[in-house]
């Protein structure tokens, strides 16, 4: 019984540990971040591509140095190149505008959440977990950060300069939802579509110009929609020295400095490699932008598809990482660390394992010619991922059987013990085992009939 009690206590402690982990994870999903910082000097217009880029230092959450800049001119993706996204704009007279708008007022209250912190704050951001993997520039994300300033931060590393890059910005500006009670930041997630709406928000210290209502829609297939319902003033008149004004998309990657630069050994740099800037003159009340993702190298899961696909260009296969890339994405540092630029220069035949000569001869003797199925497949590209085959679960099955057997034995032991206690309590006339042993010992003792 003591052993059973100890086991039960261990199981309960493990369960409490799992519960704490879930609660801790939920608490992290509501992390609130500040978006304050010096915004001067960061990329805002197309002219930035031709001007010198100044490194701006910000403080990373772990206390390490962090720079944000754009790639050199010979590596930077052209702004509005439509390499990663293509888009369309719709005006008030287009029927598509009403089709794209997601009316949160028509949804049940349980389907729409008003973020209490963001709705009563200025220059704040909060992390929100998605119920689906959202593809952004070919990377699948499960968490986003919603900011009061009319944008969504899509980066993995949080810092004070969330407005610099890695964003989805339907209308990034210096909004202050805390000004009025009816100003809210609310969102909805039905498993296929995530909608965040900045509802009746006003510009900081410019509340008399009127409230703005707009939303960003993230679809499970990667499509992004910017919907505008109320735009009281032209966007070009919203410029502010305290907060950047941006409309579009942006992504970047983090890289470490060369090892020779000892002075920057603890400094990491975020490089913006692509940006989409929209024509802000088209943003009026009841207008919309729709962004459709284009194929990327990252979606190819085999060497053949990576090299031969006509949907993408400039892709190379890194057999070490089992990844297809053009070297310019969020995994660039890993791409460089594993010498993938050199591997990508090879062909798929370089990665086919070469069997020993004896093995080849025995194979030829046992298989004089191709079978029907192999002949049909010959010449066709391999589309299955090299790592997509299901893993072997033999070890897991054996461990599960052992654990199940131990648990079953403990259960039987507990049941028998309870039955024995119950039987003894309900049959008081039956002598206990220890009493029987004592009587047996007494009976076996020699009997004396007189004094010794």
């Amino acid at each position: 019984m003591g052993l059973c009690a100890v086991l039960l206590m261990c199981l309960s402690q493990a369960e409490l540990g799992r519960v704490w982990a879930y609660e801790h994870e939920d608490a992290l999903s509501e992390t609130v971040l500040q978006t304050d910082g010096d915004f001067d000097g960061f990329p805002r217009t197309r002219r930035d591509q031709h001007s010198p880029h100044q490194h701006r230092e910000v403080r990373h959450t772990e206390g390490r140095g962090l720079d944000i800049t754009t790639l050199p001119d010979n590596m930077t993706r052209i702004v509005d190149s439509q390499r990663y996204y293509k888009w369309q704009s719709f005006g008030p007279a287009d029927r598509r505008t009403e089709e794209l708008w997601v009316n949160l007022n028509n949804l049940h209250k349980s389907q729409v959440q008003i973020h209490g912190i963001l709705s009563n704050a200025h220059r704040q951001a909060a992390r929100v977990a998605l119920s689906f993997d959202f593809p952004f520039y070919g990377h699948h994300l499960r968490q986003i950060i919603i900011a009061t300033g009319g944008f969504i931060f899509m980066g993995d590393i949080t810092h004070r300069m969330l407005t610099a890059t890695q964003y989805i910005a339907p209308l990034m500006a210096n909004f202050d939802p805390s000004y009025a009670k009816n100003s809210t930041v609310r969102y909805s997630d039905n498993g296929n579509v995530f909608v965040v709406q900045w509802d009746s928000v006003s510009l900081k210290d410019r509340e008399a110009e009127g409230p703005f209502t707009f939303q960003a829609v993230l679809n499970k297939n990667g499509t992004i929609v910017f919907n505008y319902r109320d735009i009281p003033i032209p966007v070009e008149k919203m410029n502010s020295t305290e907060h950047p004004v941006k409309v579009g998309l942006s992504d970047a990657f983090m890289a470490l400095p060369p090892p020779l630069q000892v002075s920057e050994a603890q400094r990491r740099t975020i490089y913006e490699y692509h940006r989409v800037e929209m024509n802000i003159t088209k943003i009026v009340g009841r207008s919309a932008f729709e962004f459709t993702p284009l194929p990327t190298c990252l979606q190819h899961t085999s060497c053949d598809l990576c090299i031969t696909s006509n949907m993408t260009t400039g892709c190379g296969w890194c057999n070490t990482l089992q990844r297809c890339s053009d070297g310019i994405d969020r995994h660039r540092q890993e791409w460089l660390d594993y010498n993938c630029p050199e591997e990508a220069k090879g062909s798929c035949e370089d990665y086919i394992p070469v069997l020993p000569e004896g093995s080849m001869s025995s194979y030829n003797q046992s298989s004089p010619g191709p079978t029907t199925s192999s002949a049909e497949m010959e010449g066709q590209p391999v589309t299955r991922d090299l790592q997509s085959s299901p893993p072997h679960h033999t070890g897991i099955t054996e461990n599960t059987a052992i654990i199940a057997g131990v648990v079953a034995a403990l259960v039987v032991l507990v049941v028998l013990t309870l039955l024995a206690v119950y039987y003894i309590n309900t049959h008081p006339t039956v002598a206990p085992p220890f009493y029987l042993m004592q009587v047996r010992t007494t009976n076996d003792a020699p009997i004396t009939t007189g004094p010794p």
Side-chain angles (χ1 to χ4, degrees), residues 370-380:
T371 60
T372 304
S373 59
S374 62
E376 292 176 355
M377 293 299 294
E378 186 176 358
Q380 297 184 6

Side-chain angles (χ1 to χ4, degrees), residues 70-319:
T70 55
L71 285 171
D73 292 338
N74 61 345
M75 298 179 64
T76 306
R77 298 302 185 194
I78 302 174
V79 176
D80 297 355
S81 63
Q82 296 204 15
R83 177 182 176 89
Y84 297 94
Y85 290 91
K86 62 179 181 179
W87 56 86
Q88 290 180 290
S89 61
F90 303 95
D94 296 320
R95 180 183 302 176
R96 183 62 175 165
T97 302
E98 291 299 321
E99 296 175 353
L100 294 174
W101 176 260
V102 180
N103 194 340
L104 298 182
N105 296 327
N106 292 341
L107 302 179
H108 192 271
K109 290 184 178 180
S110 61
Q111 296 178 290
V112 181
Q113 299 187 40
I114 298 178
H115 202 288
I117 297 178
L118 297 182
S119 300
N120 297 278
H122 174 236
R123 285 196 175 186
Q124 297 288 326
R127 192 184 306 275
V128 175
L130 302 177
S131 64
F132 56 89
D133 292 330
F134 176 70
F136 183 65
Y137 280 89
H139 305 89
H140 289 80
L141 308 179
R142 203 61 185 263
Q143 288 189 342
I144 61 175
I145 295 178
I146 302 175
T148 57
F151 69 98
I152 305 172
F153 180 70
M154 308 297 290
D156 300 324
I157 305 298
T158 57
H159 45 78
R160 291 176 61 86
M161 298 304 302
L162 303 185
T163 60
T165 184
Q166 292 186 306
Y167 54 74
I168 294 177
L171 187 53
M172 181 191 296
N174 192 19
F175 292 111
D176 183 10
S178 65
Y179 174 74
K181 292 183 178 180
N182 63 336
S183 299
T184 59
V185 178
R186 51 181 178 159
Y187 59 93
S188 176
D189 188 346
N190 64 5
N192 293 305
V193 178
F194 179 88
V195 184
V196 55
Q197 180 168 316
W198 293 263
D199 203 350
S200 300
V201 294
S202 302
L203 292 171
K204 179 66 174 178
D205 299 328
R206 299 170 60 178
E207 292 80 8
E209 295 178 347
F212 294 74
T213 298
F214 55 95
Q215 61 183 208
V217 182
L218 312 184
N219 293 275
K220 191 175 183 178
N221 62 0
T223 301
I224 303 171
V225 178
F226 295 167
N227 288 317
Y228 307 94
R229 183 61 43 162
D230 298 318
I231 306 295
I233 63 173
V235 177
E236 54 265 30
K237 294 184 179 181
M238 295 171 58
N239 291 332
S240 173
T241 58
E242 298 179 355
H243 197 289
V245 177
K246 300 180 182 180
V247 177
L249 312 174
S250 172
D251 199 26
F253 62 83
M254 177 174 290
L256 297 173
L260 297 179
Q261 300 179 9
V262 181
S263 60
E264 296 189 359
Q266 297 298 320
R267 187 181 304 281
R268 290 181 287 181
T269 303
I270 293 180
Y271 290 96
E272 181 184 46
Y273 66 87
H274 188 264
R275 195 187 338 152
V276 176
E277 292 181 346
M278 306 310 299
N279 185 357
I280 59 177
T281 61
K282 295 186 178 181
I283 300 177
V284 295
R286 298 185 180 274
S287 62
F289 291 116
E290 184 178 19
F291 302 85
T292 303
L294 299 176
T296 64
C297 298
L298 293 173
Q299 73 183 48
H300 302 314
T301 56
S302 69
C303 182
D304 286 341
L305 285 176
C306 180
I307 302 300
T308 63
S309 176
N310 57 5
M311 296 188 300
T312 54
T313 58
C315 301
W317 178 256
C318 182
N319 193 62

Side-chain angles (χ1 to χ4, degrees), residues 418-432:
L418 294 176
L419 289 177
V421 173
Y422 174 79
Y423 183 82
I424 292 174
N425 292 333
T426 55
H427 297 77
T429 58
V430 178

